[in-house]
């Protein structure tokens, strides 16, 4: 089980400390529970854009509607509150309308930046609908720390 966890996109967030406090089967159970949750939880901190300012990581032209031509979507947030000083987070991008997770992975952040962002590349056309992006602090936590919707 441990090898399977390390090979999945979330494996980056599972470290020795996680294994010291949790059995691999517990980690998989928590991941399964989180995968099927489409309710906004945590603090609403994310702003979305198709471009990010390279000087300060802030979004350029925040928006809540994206066309099919949008190939990359950024979720930008201030490095404060529950997101302050984090160097890695777990992110889940999900279509709430279809109850489908479109992207789920660990993501590295700059803990010293004023702003950070996470992003996903749209590999194919996404279904129309309402999307929820959720950020988790730890792989073994079912409590999100931040979210945003578009």
């Amino acid at each position: 089980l441990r090898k399977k966890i390390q090979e999945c996109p979330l494996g980056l967030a599972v470290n020795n400390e996680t294994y010291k406090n949790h059995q691999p089967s517990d980690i998989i159970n928590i991941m399964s529970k989180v995968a099927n949750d489409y309710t906004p939880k945590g603090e609403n901190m994310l702003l979305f854009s198709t471009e990010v300012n390279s000087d300060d990581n802030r979004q350029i032209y925040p928006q809540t509607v994206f066309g099919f031509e949008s190939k990359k979507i950024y979720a930008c947030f201030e490095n404060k509150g529950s997101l302050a000083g984090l160097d890695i987070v777990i992110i889940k991008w999900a279509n709430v309308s279809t109850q489908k997770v479109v992207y789920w992975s660990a993501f590295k952040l700059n803990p010293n930046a004023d702003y950070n962002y996470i992003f996903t590349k749209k590999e194919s056309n996404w279904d129309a609908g309402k999307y929820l992006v959720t950020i988790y602090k730890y792989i073994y936590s079912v409590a999100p720390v931040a979210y945003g919707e578009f």
Side-chain angles (χ1 to χ4, degrees):
L1 285 177
R2 193 171 178 160
K3 184 175 185 227
K4 287 201 177 290
I5 291 170
Q6 292 307 129
E7 291 172 350
C8 82
L10 298 173
L12 177 64
V14 181
N15 57 29
N16 287 332
E17 187 68 24
T18 306
Y19 288 118
K20 193 184 315 180
N21 298 312
H22 303 278
Q23 294 296 316
S25 58
D26 295 334
I27 295 167
I28 291 173
N29 288 337
I30 291 167
M31 290 166 51
S32 297
K33 186 184 291 186
V34 168
N36 295 315
D37 186 0
Y38 298 94
T39 309
K41 293 178 184 156
E43 200 174 340
N44 188 353
M45 297 179 69
L46 308 182
L47 295 174
F48 299 94
S49 180
T50 56
E51 297 179 71
V52 172
N53 185 327
S54 61
D55 294 333
D56 64 6
N57 293 337
R58 290 184 189 210
Q59 70 284 346
I60 299 174
Y61 308 117
Q63 58 194 92
T64 56
V65 177
F66 297 90
F68 288 109
E69 71 283 349
S70 300
K71 297 296 179 205
K72 199 176 208 181
I73 299 175
Y74 295 90
C76 304
F77 52 90
E78 196 169 352
N79 195 1
K80 67 175 188 176
S82 58
L83 294 171
L86 298 178
D87 61 348
I88 194 164
V89 292
I90 308 302
I91 57 171
K92 180 176 82 171
W93 297 67
N95 183 322
V96 177
S97 307
T98 62
Q99 303 268 300
K100 178 181 172 188
V101 175
V102 295
Y103 185 66
W104 194 15
S105 187
F107 206 92
K108 290 184 179 183
L109 303 176
N110 179 348
N112 302 312
D114 290 335
Y115 286 82
N116 268 302
Y117 63 85
I118 54 178
F119 68 90
T120 188
K121 294 178 185 176
K122 290 173 50 180
E123 299 298 329
S124 60
N125 287 335
W126 287 4
D127 294 327
K130 182 178 178 180
Y131 283 81
L132 172 67
V133 178
T134 309
I135 299 179
Y136 300 85
K137 197 171 186 175
Y138 305 109
I139 188 71
Y140 50 83
S141 173
V142 294
V145 293
Y147 75 94
E149 299 174 288
F150 64 90

